[in-house]
Structure formats: structure tokens, C-alpha cells
Amino acid sequence: MVSSVIPVQPFDLVIFGATGDLAHRKILPSLFRRLAVHQIPDTARIIGAARSKMTRAEFRKQTAAALEEFVAPALLKPELVEQFLNTIDYVTVDAAGHDGWATLAKKLGDRPDHIRAFYLSVAPGLFGVIAEKLAAAGIATPSSRIVVEKPLGKDLASARALNAQLSRHFEEEQIYRIDHYLGKETVQNLMAIRFANALFEPLWNARFIDHVQITVAENIGVAGRGEYYDQSGAMRDMVQNHMMQLLCLTAMEPPAHFDPNFVRDEKLKVIRSLDPLKPSDTVRGQYRANGSALSYLADVKDPASRTESFVAIRAHISNWRWSGTPFYMRTGKKLSARLSEIAVVFRDPPHSIFPKVEDLRGNALIIRLQPNEGITLRMTIKDPGPGGMRLTEVPLDMTFADALGGDGGMPEAYERLIMDVIRGDQTLFMRGDEVEAAWAWTDPIIQAWADSGNKPQQYDPGSAGPIDAYKLTGSDGHLWREIAT
Ligand code: NAP
């Protein structure tokens, strides 16, 4: 089955930071893939903007090289590449200075009827000044959209300051805060599974759900970006944004409509219902050295660093639906596999009529974000054969790429999100108050860790994290799922 593609309206997308890593690895390849399925009209313009002095032809060459590197060769048909490069333009702009703004204004002025979007793929310190310059140069119109990437602040105060800078020149309806996890097909399917099927929603509460586990595990360390990472750590880099968004979508009430503000209101209510975290609900870790592979402390070149490369959390949502059901979250570097999943673990049947089988873990719905986006329902069935009524567990498995078929059916997160920006659909983007509420929840625990002076617990590379992470779930009689693919 191939998804139907509805072309978007003609647009001008200005990518600030077009010569950078994110533009090359994600934004330009995603736009190419959307053009390849005819979603982008010929008249669209993708305008790179950065300080590097470059001609349009030179930036096209750079774009072609990025496509070569980051798009599957089978998709790179010469006529499509040519068509894509025809949409590409470039303006040398210094976000912090005066150069280039008039040229950009003139270029955009040529097509007043085009939807205008500005993607700020630059350091967050430039967000405010770019928003201001766009307004001052008359480039931003009331219908323009501005797209910003994480990190959206490093704490509540800085997130508030950033929101204030943006809202000085743009309405909330014009601001698109990207969390690429929300662009993943599986994450949206979580909403479809919950709210488009009668099957699960009656069971989706503390009466039937024992606990929820959200895991975002990476098997690589921080080498190469150690300095950046050491300023943030797992809590800021993963929990405050991606993992809390996953928690919200799992726990939220059904919105009255599938409309951006209805969905975001419900997510915000979840964050506001979270109990304050206690230090005893958290575990921090740092990976050790392993043979010739360096430890976290060596990777970040700071033997005294207390930044966590792993965190595990036990969260409680105090509302009628979830009171008594813990939500465990864990994320870390150099773990045993690269895996992101949400596991919704159901309670046992109230009374068993069958002989007890020790290893059975009961029903669970596993929503897998990577690798192989898909959904698995763990069911208990009779072990086949004449050996009496023995029970066993089987996965009912649906990998989306198989079910929906290849590239056309499975757009990457950035493809969907950028097209949503052009369509003006904010459902999968974070609202300013959500971001602030998430920081308000994570800030006190980050502060408590700093105040305690305690070091994160060491863990072995290739493991599932520090020993205390097992104790966190173990003390509730629960067991983390294996981190394996
Ligand atoms: P990067 O590789 O360092 O690129 C930065 C870009 O900003 C370059 O194109 C640079 O070009 C441009 N730039 C710097 N100063 C400028 C100025 N004064 N005026 C105009 N352009 C300027 O960074 P990146 O990895 O692409 O990341 C971009 C943003 O996305 C950051 O906020 C990052 O945190 C976020 N992000 C990145 C990733 C990722 O995977 N890379 C993932 C999530 C979020 P010139 O030097 O030519 O000006």
C-alpha cells in the first residue's frame, strides 16, 4: 500500500544555517524525498541562508553532494535531482549583522503569494536576533511560519526568555517548535491506535495497565560532541523533550478534536498532573571505559564532570486515569542496543484457571520507534502440541515498513514535519507552554542532583545501565524490558 500524497501550496522555505550539519543530513534530503513523490510543486523555492559567501551554483553543488551522501541511491534519479536543484537558491546572510537581509527581502518579495517559512537551523543564541531581523526587514508577514529546533532552552528561565523573544515578532500560531520524535509514524500511530480503535481505550487506565516503560537507548557514546553534550546531559537532551512528549501521548485524555490546540491542551494537562520528582525516583549514570573505548569522563575531557549519560525515572501521574500506574523512563548512551520503544504492560487477569508458568510476563503493547518502526502485541496462547494446556507467549507483530510498503509509505519524521509547516498544521509541534511546563518539572530534579554533590553511578558499556536502574523498577516488583533489537 502506498500512501496518497497531497501536494502542498507553492512556498518559499528559507533555511538559516543551510550550510550546516542538520540541513545537509536531514532538511535538504527530506525536502528532496517529498519532491520525489510529487508533494512539492515546481514553483517552490528552497533558499539557503548562511554567512558563507557562495553563489547559487556553489550552494546547488553542496546540496547535490548532501543528497548523494544522505539519500538512498535508488531514489536519486537524475531528472529528480535536477528538478530539486532548480528549486534551490542561496543568499549570504549574517544573522547577527546587516549583510544579506535586503537581498533576501527582495528575493522573497518576487513571490508575494507564496507561503513563507523560515527554518532556523542555527545555534539557539541566534533565534531571537533572526526573528527580530525578519520582522524589521519586513520579510515576516502575518502568515509566515518560523521553525525552531531543540534545544529550546536549558531550563525554565531560558525557555521563557526564548519564547518571549519569538513571541515579540511572531504569534504562537506561526511558531513551529520541532521535536522530531513527534514526526515518527509510530508516534502518530499511538494516537490512531488509542483513539481510532474501540479495542484499547477501555483498558487504557490504571485498572488494567500495570505500568509503562519508555526507553530511548543508544549504543554509541558522546565522542565527537562531548563538549556540547556535557553541557546538557540525558535529562535535558532526551527526557525534557522527546521522552516527555512520548509520555504525554501515551497518557493524555482523548482530545475532543484532532486539532493542534485540542491535542496540545491534553498533553499539557498530563505534564501538569505529574507528581514532582524525588531524588529516589531517579537514577543517573555515566559509562565507564571498555578496553580501548574511552569512558564518558574521557570523552568529555573533564574528569570531574557530573553530567549524566544515562537517566532512569519513575514518574507518577496524579489523575483519575493513572493514579497507581508508574511510568518508567530511561535513556542513555553506550547501552546494549539502539532502541526506542514505549511498552504498555497490562495487569494479569484477575483469576487464572491455568497452571502457573514462571516466565510468562503477560500482555504488553510495544510501540517501537526505532529500529523498524512498528507495533507488537504480546499475547498469551496455548503452547501448540498434545502436551496438555501449557501456556506460552507470542508477539503479534506489525512492522510498518512491511505493512505500508517502502519509501512512499514511510516518510521520515522531518519530511512529515516540514510539510506540516507548509500546510500550517501545528498538531505535531510543541506549544510554548508545553515546553515551559516540561522544564518546570525537570528543573527541580536537575537542581537537586547538582546540590547533592553525588556522582552518577558508573555502568558498563553494552549494558542496560547502572545497577540502581534495576532497583528502581525492582523495588516495585517490575522488570525492565531487555534492550535488544
Ligand atoms: P552546524 O553544523 O554548526 O551549522 C550551523 C549553521 O549556522 C551553519 O550553516 C552556519 O553557516 C550557520 N551560521 C552560524 N552563524 C551564523 C550567522 N551569524 N548567520 C547566519 N548563519 C550562521 O549546526 P547543526 O548541527 O546544523 O545544528 C543547527 C541547529 O539545529 C542547532 O541549534 C542544533 O542544536 C540543532 N539541532 C541539530 C541537530 C543535528 O543533528 N545536527 C539535531 C537536533 C537539533 P555559516 O558558518 O556559513 O554562517
Side-chain angles (χ1 to χ4, degrees):
M1 189 179 83
V2 173
S3 68
S4 53
V5 173
I6 302 168
V8 294
Q9 296 295 313
F11 64 87
D12 287 345
L13 173 67
V14 182
I15 307 171
F16 287 93
T19 55
D21 174 68
L22 183 68
H24 284 189
R25 260 184 334 107
K26 292 290 178 189
I27 304 172
L28 291 165
S30 296
L31 285 161
F32 172 77
R33 284 190 286 265
R34 288 294 94 196
L35 178 129
V37 293
H38 312 295
Q39 191 162 23
I40 293 184
D42 287 345
T43 51
R45 294 189 299 180
I46 297 160
I47 304 171
R51 284 170 310 181
S52 302
K53 293 206 182 334
M54 229 188 296
T55 61
R56 180 185 186 195
E58 283 164 339
F59 183 62
R60 282 177 165 203
K61 225 167 142 189
Q62 197 179 90
T63 303
L67 298 185
E68 281 283 331
E69 192 172 351
F70 297 111
V71 176
L75 270 186
L76 286 177
K77 300 202 171 73
E79 65 279 11
L80 286 177
V81 174
E82 186 57 30
Q83 195 186 334
F84 185 68
L85 294 180
N86 282 337
T87 69
I88 297 284
D89 206 338
Y90 184 80
V91 184
T92 303
V93 182
D94 181 0
H98 300 295
D99 293 350
W101 290 99
T103 316
L104 184 61
K106 186 165 179 316
K107 205 173 274 293
L108 291 170
D110 294 349
R111 312 267 173 93
D113 52 327
H114 273 202
I115 291 166
R116 263 181 217 182
F118 308 102
Y119 197 129
L120 310 196
S121 181
V122 291
L126 291 172
F127 291 173
V129 67
I130 294 180
E132 189 186 320
K133 291 251 164 69
L134 287 170
I139 297 175
T141 60
S143 62
S144 296
R145 287 124 214 206
I146 189 162
V147 185
V148 291
E149 272 280 348
K150 83 168 196 184
L152 300 170
K154 62 178 180 49
D155 54 21
L156 178 57
S158 53
R160 276 193 179 139
L162 178 58
N163 282 340
Q165 281 179 330
L166 293 173
S167 62
R168 223 166 276 146
H169 308 289
F170 290 86
E171 299 296 328
E172 183 61 39
E173 289 64 37
Q174 297 178 276
I175 304 172
Y176 290 73
R177 296 176 190 80
I178 286 209
D179 183 328
H180 71 273
Y181 269 57
L182 295 184
K184 289 183 180 285
E185 201 69 24
T186 336
V187 174
Q188 292 157 67
N189 246 309
L190 179 55
M191 284 191 276
I193 282 171
R194 286 192 57 195
F195 306 133
N197 295 285
L199 201 59
F200 290 111
E201 201 48 28
L203 307 179
W204 210 262
N205 56 54
R207 222 177 123 209
F208 295 99
I209 293 180
D210 187 58
H211 69 279
V212 174
Q213 297 186 14
I214 302 177
T215 299
V216 176
E218 291 176 88
N219 53 4
I220 54 168
V222 301
R225 57 190 284 268
E227 256 170 62
Y228 160 77
Y229 188 87
D230 202 42
Q231 300 300 313
S232 80
M235 189 73 154
R236 289 189 171 103
D237 192 47
M238 280 289 173
V239 176
Q240 185 275 342
N241 37 61
H242 308 315
M243 299 188 82
M244 288 186 70
Q245 287 292 319
L246 300 182
L247 179 141
C248 286
L249 292 173
T250 309
M252 73 184 188
E253 295 300 313
H257 305 283
F258 190 61
D259 161 282
N261 278 330
F262 281 74
V263 171
R264 297 185 300 177
D265 285 345
E266 295 306 335
K267 287 196 290 164
L268 182 61
K269 282 188 211 162
V270 174
I271 301 176
R272 289 186 172 156
S273 307
L274 283 165
D275 286 356
L277 273 179
K278 299 190 289 290
S280 57
D281 288 325
T282 69
V283 175
R284 284 181 303 153
Q286 278 179 345
Y287 57 81
R288 303 187 169 92
N290 184 19
S292 60
L294 299 180
S295 67
Y296 176 80
L297 295 176
D299 273 343
V300 301
K301 301 186 179 65
D302 178 4
S305 170
R306 304 231 157 141
T307 305
E308 72 288 354
S309 63
F310 174 97
V311 66
I313 287 171
R314 173 176 44 213
H316 287 285
I317 302 171
S318 279
N319 63 18
W320 272 55
R321 189 186 281 263
W322 292 117
S323 183
T325 292
F327 282 69
Y328 302 105
M329 294 187 269
R330 66 179 163 168
T331 181
K333 303 277 186 192
K334 281 219 180 157
L335 298 177
S336 49
R338 178 170 175 265
L339 168 85
S340 299
E341 66 170 34
I342 304 166
V344 178
V345 182
F346 290 87
R347 295 193 192 281
D348 290 336
H351 169 69
S352 176
I353 60 170
F354 302 110
K356 188 163 174 54
V357 182
E358 277 309 320
D359 293 342
L360 293 192
R361 290 159 301 161
N363 295 137
L365 183 72
I366 320 295
I367 299 128
R368 203 171 50 242
L369 278 64
Q370 65 189 21
N372 309 326
E373 284 191 63
I375 289 180
T376 301
L377 182 61
R378 191 172 68 204
M379 299 283 293
T380 304
I381 60 161
K382 179 189 168 297
D383 201 5
M389 193 62 181
R390 289 178 317 211
L391 300 181
T392 188
E393 281 176 346
V394 289
L396 293 183
D397 198 12
M398 183 169 84
T399 300
F400 291 161
D402 299 343
L404 304 176
D407 283 329
M410 283 291 288
E412 268 201 16
Y414 276 92
E415 295 177 49
R416 170 174 309 277
L417 294 174
I418 298 171
M419 290 300 98
D420 279 357
V421 171
I422 305 301
R423 277 190 289 255
D425 184 344
Q426 289 186 304
T427 312
L428 301 176
F429 297 82
M430 292 178 294
R431 209 168 51 192
D433 52 2
E434 271 184 85
V435 175
E436 290 182 18
W439 281 119
W441 189 66
T442 50
D443 267 4
I445 202 71
I446 295 173
Q447 191 57 48
W449 290 340
D451 294 345
S452 76
N454 294 338
K455 290 182 181 167
Q457 197 176 33
Q458 301 277 297
Y459 62 92
D460 286 326
S463 71
I467 192 79
D468 281 1
Y470 291 96
K471 292 185 189 162
L472 186 76
T473 47
S475 61
D476 297 338
H478 298 140
L479 194 62
W480 286 111
R481 284 168 51 77
E482 198 185 348
I483 299 178
T485 52

